[in-house]
Amino acid sequence: MQDHVATPVRSGSCLCRGVTFRVRGNPLRVGICHCADCRKSSGAPFAAYGVWPVEAFEQEGGFTGTYANRTFCTTCGGRVPWVSEGEAEVPLGSLDEVPTDLVPGYELWVKRREHWLSALPDAAQFDEDRVEREATTEA
């Protein structure tokens, strides 16, 4: 008899809970971004995301809109996952349970990181987007 490990299922929603979603399994990657768009859309000095394959993502209810590659509930304005190029980018703050096991493996736009924030230990550091050839050791 094989020992099967349960596939994690995480649920989340917008602020008014009109738009709900689920992701199954573990994310492809987890990171944080310090770019101007993420700062503005989150109202915080950075935004944290997990990226799942679109096949692992389900969404229900409500009406959504998209602006600048960010999807939101049109009722409350709360962020919900953005789907593009076969992936679902899930704002970690929209998950119902605190995802303490989801640790960022990279930081984007570290040249915009607040001077009072330290680099995440063991996370790749990118001056701008992840498409750079190599991550810096420290920004």
Side-chain angles (χ1 to χ4, degrees), residues 6-83:
T7 301
V9 177
R10 293 176 171 90
S11 61
S13 69
C14 62
L15 182 60
C16 72
R17 300 200 182 279
V19 177
T20 61
F21 65 88
R22 283 176 299 289
V23 286
R24 297 185 190 295
N26 291 313
L28 301 170
R29 61 188 178 277
V30 176
I32 65 172
C33 184
H34 302 274
C35 80
D37 287 353
C38 285
R39 293 167 63 99
K40 290 283 188 182
S41 67
S42 69
F46 62 86
Y49 302 96
V51 178
W52 275 263
V54 72
E55 299 82 21
F57 171 72
E58 299 172 22
Q59 182 171 302
E60 297 176 354
F63 294 99
T64 61
T66 299
Y67 180 81
N69 299 336
R70 280 139 184 91
T71 302
F72 54 92
C73 170
T74 57
T75 300
C76 69
R79 291 285 313 278
V80 294
W82 176 57
V83 177

